[in-house]
Amino acid sequence: MHFVMIFLDGFGLGREQDNPIVAAHTPNLDKLLEGHNLWGQDRQIQTEHVFFRPLDASLDVPGIPQSATGQTTLWTGVNGAKALGFHLNAYPNEKLVSIINERSIFKQLADRGKRVTFANAFTDQYDQMVASGKRRHTASTLSALAGGVRLRKAPELLAGKGIYHDMTNVILREMEPELDIPLFSPYQAGQNLGHITLEHDFTLYEFFQTDVRGHKQDWEKSIALMEQIDEFIGGLMSVVRHEDVTWLLTSDHGNFEDFCVKGHTQNPVPALGWSNRQVEWPQWVRLEDVTPGIMGMILT
């Protein structure tokens, strides 16, 4: 089995009102979910190929879920908020880094001889900023590095063997025009992810523009972003539809799904899965269930 996780930061399950996920035109996801508006908090689906259910992102700790603790939990199976006693935003602190270094899903799988990779591409400028202390690694990058993953760079991006965090390279072209990186359509980016997936046992792609848009609350741009995600899924499916591939789309906390709230929400997040063959989907309920569930699927 080739397993790929598509991580959409700040992507929860909310009401139909004030929800750009519902307002967007999403034919690829609608086909999988057998209709539109199936992103509700109480919906559950299990068909021959598709699995969908809500995940509790609260981590059993009072307060609003945040990225550092949620993502640490998602990629280790260890409840980061309980380990700290509170929700931590942005970047993992020393205690969370220690948990990631020990329990990262990349490390656990690599230690068992599995081929693991992080599909996101980085730049030399990013490396320089981290080395100078101007930037810090997020939980996703720390998790990949803990598993011995080499970060993809501009040459891989140019060759279609890496994907920038915005899928299309628009942001990268503005930040570093000297790299002369071409624009990708979301569909092409999804195809690139599909080809990367077929070369590995476990692949992660992180997309955090959903959380950015949720904070900025630009309605039209958020709808366009959701439609970009749907096109990305279409590109991925065009490559993996007839392959031994399983993918999971999930998140760390809510935000993007509710424009009545400025900031993160306490909504559940999706576990949307697809597989070309019948698989025994784990009975995921909470974020901390995800890594053990994926481990079981890949190692069985």
Side-chain angles (χ1 to χ4, degrees), residues 5 71-78 103-106 108-109 202 284 286-297:
M5 178 190 283
Q71 292 170 22
T72 297
T73 304
L74 193 62
W75 292 313
T76 65
V78 178
R103 300 294 299 166
S104 157
I105 187 170
F106 290 91
Q108 292 189 63
L109 288 170
F202 175 78
W284 284 313
R286 317 180 60 80
L287 287 189
E288 51 263 55
D289 299 335
V290 173
T291 279
I294 294 174
M295 295 281 296
M297 294 177 78

Side-chain angles (χ1 to χ4, degrees), residues 95-162:
K95 187 164 187 176
L96 294 182
V97 171
S98 176
I99 292 170
I100 290 169
N101 286 338
E102 182 179 346
R103 300 294 299 166
S104 157
I105 187 170
F106 290 91
K107 182 180 188 302
Q108 292 189 63
L109 288 170
D111 286 349
R112 288 163 176 80
K114 297 300 181 180
R115 299 165 299 169
V116 297
T117 195
F118 193 19
N120 289 65
F122 296 78
T123 65
D124 290 338
Q125 184 183 79
Y126 172 86
D127 287 345
Q128 293 163 8
M129 292 179 71
V130 169
S132 67
K134 294 179 180 178
R135 290 200 65 164
R136 294 166 61 189
H137 291 312
T138 61
S140 58
T141 310
L142 289 168
S143 296
L145 293 172
V149 173
R150 183 184 65 83
L151 299 183
R152 295 167 187 268
K153 296 296 186 63
E156 285 93 344
L157 191 59
L158 284 165
K161 294 184 178 295

Side-chain angles (χ1 to χ4, degrees), residues 91-264:
Y91 302 98
N93 61 13
E94 185 176 348
K95 187 164 187 176
L96 294 182
V97 171
S98 176
I99 292 170
I100 290 169
N101 286 338
E102 182 179 346
R103 300 294 299 166
S104 157
I105 187 170
F106 290 91
K107 182 180 188 302
Q108 292 189 63
L109 288 170
D111 286 349
R112 288 163 176 80
K114 297 300 181 180
R115 299 165 299 169
V116 297
T117 195
F118 193 19
N120 289 65
F122 296 78
T123 65
D124 290 338
Q125 184 183 79
Y126 172 86
D127 287 345
Q128 293 163 8
M129 292 179 71
V130 169
S132 67
K134 294 179 180 178
R135 290 200 65 164
R136 294 166 61 189
H137 291 312
T138 61
S140 58
T141 310
L142 289 168
S143 296
L145 293 172
V149 173
R150 183 184 65 83
L151 299 183
R152 295 167 187 268
K153 296 296 186 63
E156 285 93 344
L157 191 59
L158 284 165
K161 294 184 178 295
I163 309 156
Y164 200 58
H165 67 72
D166 70 346
M167 296 182 189
T168 62
N169 302 330
V170 167
I171 294 174
L172 180 57
R173 284 166 59 89
E174 292 174 353
M175 290 176 51
E176 299 192 49
E178 69 280 1
L179 293 178
D180 197 26
I181 301 292
L183 287 175
F184 290 164
S185 69
Y187 190 88
Q188 183 179 359
Q191 288 182 311
N192 291 344
L193 179 60
H195 292 305
I196 293 168
T197 296
L198 294 177
E199 297 176 352
H200 299 87
D201 299 303
F202 175 78
T203 302
L204 170 67
Y205 174 63
E206 176 185 33
F207 185 76
F208 59 79
Q209 291 303 313
T210 37
D211 196 49
V212 172
R213 285 290 162 213
H215 285 295
K216 291 184 177 180
Q217 293 198 312
D218 186 311
W219 180 253
E220 294 302 326
K221 287 184 178 180
S222 294
I223 291 175
L225 188 70
M226 186 62 215
E227 293 175 350
Q228 176 179 323
I229 293 166
D230 184 74
E231 187 181 343
F232 179 80
I233 295 296
L236 172 66
M237 290 297 293
S238 74
V239 173
V240 306
R241 190 180 306 276
H242 302 295
E243 303 288 348
D244 187 6
V245 168
T246 299
W247 58 256
L248 173 70
L249 182 153
T250 192
S251 186
D252 52 351
H253 56 74
N255 182 355
F256 184 71
E257 79 286 353
D258 191 347
F259 271 45
C260 282
V261 178
K262 189 159 188 174
H264 296 180

Side-chain angles (χ1 to χ4, degrees), residues 24-89:
H25 178 60
T26 53
N28 294 294
L29 288 167
D30 292 355
K31 185 175 181 180
L32 293 175
L33 295 168
E34 300 180 346
H36 197 55
N37 296 353
L38 291 181
W39 292 96
Q41 298 180 10
D42 301 319
R43 304 268 172 82
Q44 295 192 24
I45 300 169
Q46 189 152 2
T47 65
E48 182 180 0
H49 297 292
V50 177
F51 172 92
F52 177 81
R53 69 185 304 160
L55 294 177
D56 184 348
S58 72
L59 302 179
D60 282 333
V61 172
I64 304 297
Q66 300 293 336
S67 295
T69 37
Q71 292 170 22
T72 297
T73 304
L74 193 62
W75 292 313
T76 65
V78 178
N79 188 319
K82 278 190 175 180
L84 297 183
F86 57 90
H87 297 282
L88 178 67
N89 67 353

